[in-house]
mmCIF file of all heavy atoms in Angstrom:
data_model
loop_
_atom_site.group_PDB
_atom_site.id
_atom_site.type_symbol
_atom_site.label_atom_id
_atom_site.label_comp_id
_atom_site.label_asym_id
_atom_site.label_seq_id
_atom_site.Cartn_x
_atom_site.Cartn_y
_atom_site.Cartn_z
ATOM 1 N N ASP M 92 14.511 -7.017 -13.800
ATOM 2 C CA ASP M 92 15.596 -6.255 -14.413
ATOM 3 C C ASP M 92 16.878 -6.424 -13.595
ATOM 4 O O ASP M 92 16.837 -6.795 -12.441
ATOM 5 C CB ASP M 92 15.216 -4.777 -14.407
ATOM 6 C CG ASP M 92 15.296 -4.159 -15.784
ATOM 7 O OD1 ASP M 92 15.610 -4.898 -16.729
ATOM 8 O OD2 ASP M 92 15.041 -2.964 -15.919
ATOM 9 N N LYS M 93 17.973 -6.122 -14.183
ATOM 10 C CA LYS M 93 19.197 -6.028 -13.387
ATOM 11 C C LYS M 93 18.948 -4.980 -12.318
ATOM 12 O O LYS M 93 18.543 -3.888 -12.616
ATOM 13 C CB LYS M 93 20.359 -5.559 -14.261
ATOM 14 C CG LYS M 93 20.796 -6.552 -15.299
ATOM 15 C CD LYS M 93 21.974 -5.994 -16.080
ATOM 16 C CE LYS M 93 22.333 -6.944 -17.215
ATOM 17 N NZ LYS M 93 23.482 -6.418 -17.991
ATOM 18 N N ALA M 94 19.195 -5.316 -11.113
ATOM 19 C CA ALA M 94 18.840 -4.380 -10.048
ATOM 20 C C ALA M 94 19.939 -4.284 -8.999
ATOM 21 O O ALA M 94 20.432 -3.225 -8.716
ATOM 22 C CB ALA M 94 17.529 -4.798 -9.412
ATOM 23 N N ILE M 95 20.308 -5.392 -8.469
ATOM 24 C CA ILE M 95 21.248 -5.365 -7.357
ATOM 25 C C ILE M 95 22.588 -4.780 -7.777
ATOM 26 O O ILE M 95 23.122 -3.885 -7.151
ATOM 27 C CB ILE M 95 21.454 -6.777 -6.790
ATOM 28 C CG1 ILE M 95 20.160 -7.275 -6.165
ATOM 29 C CG2 ILE M 95 22.571 -6.779 -5.759
ATOM 30 C CD1 ILE M 95 20.251 -8.673 -5.654
ATOM 31 N N LEU M 96 23.119 -5.248 -8.880
ATOM 32 C CA LEU M 96 24.472 -4.848 -9.234
ATOM 33 C C LEU M 96 24.537 -3.455 -9.822
ATOM 34 O O LEU M 96 25.509 -2.736 -9.638
ATOM 35 C CB LEU M 96 25.077 -5.837 -10.226
ATOM 36 C CG LEU M 96 25.221 -7.266 -9.708
ATOM 37 C CD1 LEU M 96 25.925 -8.124 -10.746
ATOM 38 C CD2 LEU M 96 26.006 -7.289 -8.408
ATOM 39 N N THR M 97 23.522 -3.064 -10.552
ATOM 40 C CA THR M 97 23.563 -1.775 -11.229
ATOM 41 C C THR M 97 22.811 -0.693 -10.477
ATOM 42 O O THR M 97 22.905 0.469 -10.819
ATOM 43 C CB THR M 97 22.941 -1.889 -12.633
ATOM 44 O OG1 THR M 97 21.552 -2.181 -12.490
ATOM 45 C CG2 THR M 97 23.621 -2.969 -13.426
ATOM 46 N N GLY M 98 22.085 -1.067 -9.471
ATOM 47 C CA GLY M 98 21.306 -0.075 -8.747
ATOM 48 C C GLY M 98 20.220 0.526 -9.586
ATOM 49 O O GLY M 98 19.741 1.632 -9.323
ATOM 50 N N GLY M 99 19.777 -0.196 -10.580
ATOM 51 C CA GLY M 99 18.807 0.357 -11.514
ATOM 52 C C GLY M 99 17.378 0.273 -11.039
ATOM 53 O O GLY M 99 16.457 0.535 -11.794
ATOM 54 N N GLY M 100 17.169 -0.131 -9.809
ATOM 55 C CA GLY M 100 15.805 -0.127 -9.314
ATOM 56 C C GLY M 100 15.093 -1.428 -9.592
ATOM 57 O O GLY M 100 15.705 -2.431 -9.951
ATOM 58 N N ASN M 101 13.835 -1.380 -9.453
ATOM 59 C CA ASN M 101 13.045 -2.595 -9.504
ATOM 60 C C ASN M 101 11.952 -2.462 -10.545
ATOM 61 O O ASN M 101 10.789 -2.355 -10.227
ATOM 62 C CB ASN M 101 12.457 -2.866 -8.127
ATOM 63 C CG ASN M 101 11.949 -4.274 -7.992
ATOM 64 O OD1 ASN M 101 12.289 -5.136 -8.791
ATOM 65 N ND2 ASN M 101 11.127 -4.509 -7.017
ATOM 66 N N LYS M 102 12.323 -2.466 -11.797
ATOM 67 C CA LYS M 102 11.379 -2.263 -12.870
ATOM 68 C C LYS M 102 10.868 -3.629 -13.320
ATOM 69 O O LYS M 102 11.450 -4.270 -14.178
ATOM 70 C CB LYS M 102 12.063 -1.532 -14.029
ATOM 71 C CG LYS M 102 11.113 -1.054 -15.098
ATOM 72 C CD LYS M 102 11.858 -0.174 -16.101
ATOM 73 C CE LYS M 102 10.913 0.425 -17.112
ATOM 74 N NZ LYS M 102 10.416 -0.555 -18.058
#
Side-chain angles (χ1 to χ4, degrees):
Chain M
D92 234 2
K93 292 181 185 180
I95 294 177
L96 298 184
T97 66
N101 196 16
K102 190 172 185 288

